[in-house]
Amino acid sequence: MIKSNKNYIARKFSHIYVEKRAFDYPITQYILNKFSKSKVVAIENYNEIFSRKNQNPYVQKLSPSLILAEKKEGFFYKGSRLCHNFQEENFYYTNFILNCIFECDYCYLKGMNLSSHIVFFVNLEDYFEKINILISEKNKVYLSISYDSDILVFEGIYPFFNKWYNFAKKNQGVTIEIRTKSANWKKFTNYDPISNLELSWSISPEEVINKFEKKTPNLEARLTATSNLLKKNWKINLALDPLIYTGKTWRNTYYEFLKYLVSRINLELINSITVGVFRIPVNYLRRMKRFSDSSVVFFPYETIENVASYPEDIKEEMLNFVVSFLEEYFDSEKIYVI
Ligand code: SF4
């Protein structure tokens, strides 16, 4: 057999689609300058590319395009019942980046979005204006800004952090949460920690990372990020979410993981810990089954009120096991379980 030398998989962001109105923003030019070899295509509306029917998000993950767009409505949303709300009454989330370059098999984005292209909404100032109105109405708002992507991975090409940091600094009525699996911690050392900006590190046993969280930093890298930022007094949450049932040996897997966690991190310095088993809207799971062959997608979940998750006995056993362990080292009032 003769092997072709051609690479039929286009490199990441070989095409950049730009909404005509998005060209007016200086950040658009800044981003385009970073990809001088990419083909730039002007479009009217990002959904022409992002939400085209009959796309295969799994294949697209190999060479996603980048889309630069202007957000026109829906600048924030009320937090979903499937998310931790930290018992905050005014819990909202926002998404100025859609999709992710990490490849977690269980990620709901593959079930929710019709493509794996990455979208950056470039008009952050409009987000700030709308969120300011929300803050003045509610007085106090808890806002997660990274639910539909692991945004820190993109900071190198779309430098958003400085803007959100300044926004939080000026607006004490908002608490910003950034959730991540990345190892991108050095960036934060250029800033002084502020009490209303929290970083939540999502951590899992190495076995789960290797099997189901492809292309993400390993556990050690995430714990190094966490411990370095704790030393700099950043407000850090840990997210043991989703807990994944790894078969009969799950207890041992999680025991070793928790033991390692408490040996590496001084939990007394952690702001809060969230714990939850894998759960997903059943229609997203149905769509993922069309493309995926991962065991995490094909587990015989039970569906209650359109949410698929582990059968109640597995769920309870896993949550009890992890929470009881943590309670020996950490204030139980600051453990949030979903
Ligand atoms: S890091 Fe988060 S957003 Fe990215 S693929 Fe994994 S679960 Fe999805």
Side-chain angles (χ1 to χ4, degrees):
M1 191 172 85
I2 300 170
K3 262 189 161 180
S4 165
N5 287 328
K6 272 192 181 170
N7 178 8
Y8 287 99
I9 297 171
R11 68 187 187 285
K12 217 170 246 136
F13 303 162
S14 64
H15 286 67
I16 304 184
Y17 297 91
V18 185
E19 277 188 357
K20 286 181 184 155
R21 289 176 60 142
F23 279 110
D24 296 341
Y25 294 84
I27 189 70
T28 297
Q29 207 45 58
Y30 175 90
I31 296 167
L32 290 177
N33 286 344
K34 296 207 167 244
F35 297 96
S36 55
K37 290 192 180 144
S38 300
K39 184 172 167 53
V40 177
V41 182
I43 53 171
E44 289 298 333
N45 185 302
Y46 79 97
N47 276 316
E48 291 166 33
I49 306 299
F50 187 70
S51 303
R52 213 166 33 200
K53 287 194 178 137
N54 298 323
Q55 304 192 72
N56 183 331
Y58 285 72
V59 171
Q60 261 170 4
K61 270 269 182 186
L62 298 169
S63 60
S65 296
L66 178 62
I67 304 171
L68 306 180
E70 182 193 56
K71 186 85 161 172
K72 293 172 189 74
E73 57 184 1
F75 290 90
F76 54 80
Y77 305 91
K78 192 85 181 124
S80 147
R81 70 189 162 107
L82 297 186
C83 305
H84 287 98
N85 61 8
F86 302 91
Q87 290 176 356
E88 297 280 350
E89 193 188 332
N90 298 317
F91 171 61
Y92 289 82
Y93 73 95
T94 185
N95 53 8
F96 59 97
I97 297 180
L98 307 181
N99 276 337
C100 185
I101 52 169
F102 291 151
E103 288 195 23
C104 304
D105 287 2
Y106 53 72
C107 182
Y108 69 93
L109 295 174
K110 289 180 194 140
M112 182 174 85
N113 294 330
L114 293 181
S115 75
S116 291
H117 299 313
I118 308 289
V119 180
F120 294 167
F121 292 108
V122 291
N123 50 327
L124 278 184
E125 299 306 329
D126 292 334
Y127 283 77
F128 297 144
E129 192 187 314
K130 301 287 182 210
I131 294 163
N132 262 327
I133 297 171
L134 179 72
I135 298 167
S136 55
E137 281 169 10
K138 304 283 179 190
N139 206 21
K140 226 174 138 242
V141 170
Y142 192 93
L143 184 72
S144 284
I145 67 169
S146 56
Y147 262 81
D148 289 340
S149 180
D150 198 317
I151 58 175
L152 288 184
V153 183
F154 298 109
E155 168 69 12
I157 47 175
Y158 180 9
F160 58 82
F161 181 74
N162 190 48
K163 290 193 171 178
W164 282 101
Y165 179 85
N166 288 330
F167 178 71
K169 216 171 166 183
K170 271 194 229 135
N171 293 282
Q172 290 304 309
V174 69
T175 298
I176 304 279
E177 187 224 11
I178 300 178
R179 186 158 167 175
T180 189
K181 292 186 174 93
S182 78
N184 186 1
W185 63 272
K186 287 191 182 146
K187 171 97 201 158
F188 299 105
T189 57
N190 299 327
Y191 294 85
D192 290 329
I194 47 176
S195 60
N196 61 333
L197 200 160
E198 302 177 2
L199 304 169
S200 299
W201 246 275
S202 180
I203 52 171
S204 299
E206 204 62 64
E207 181 188 337
V208 170
I209 294 174
N210 289 337
K211 276 193 193 157
F212 304 119
E213 298 180 354
K214 293 166 194 131
K215 299 193 181 167
T216 63
N218 61 25
L219 177 60
E220 191 51 42
R222 297 186 210 174
L223 293 181
T224 299
T226 308
S227 75
N228 283 333
L229 291 177
L230 282 172
K231 281 184 206 145
K232 303 270 179 199
N233 299 321
W234 278 85
K235 211 169 184 182
I236 307 283
N237 305 314
L238 292 178
L240 278 64
D241 182 16
L243 304 177
I244 300 288
Y245 179 77
T246 52
K248 286 184 185 144
T249 55
W250 72 265
R251 201 181 291 270
N252 191 44
T253 300
Y254 276 91
Y255 181 64
E256 292 302 325
F257 161 65
L258 291 165
K259 255 189 1 185
Y260 189 58
L261 170 65
V262 296
S263 74
R264 280 287 275 105
I265 301 290
N266 180 359
L267 288 194
E268 283 176 11
L269 301 178
I270 293 288
N271 179 55
S272 75
I273 302 181
T274 52
V275 185
V277 296
F278 175 64
R279 59 211 175 273
I280 189 165
V282 72
N283 54 332
Y284 295 175
L285 186 65
R286 230 176 267 134
R287 181 167 155 76
M288 287 156 79
K289 283 182 180 167
R290 283 175 50 197
F291 305 109
S292 171
D293 59 1
S294 171
S295 59
V296 83
V297 169
F298 285 92
F299 187 89
Y301 298 108
E302 279 183 0
T303 301
I304 299 175
E305 293 179 6
N306 292 320
V307 175
S309 189
Y310 295 115
E312 204 54 34
D313 53 339
I314 294 184
K315 177 178 162 179
E316 243 178 62
E317 228 182 305
M318 292 188 82
L319 289 175
N320 286 342
F321 181 79
V322 172
V323 172
S324 319
F325 187 102
L326 290 172
E327 279 175 343
E328 298 209 2
Y329 298 86
F330 191 67
D331 181 355
S332 59
E333 297 212 337
K334 294 195 291 177
I335 300 176
Y336 299 93
V337 182
I338 194 164

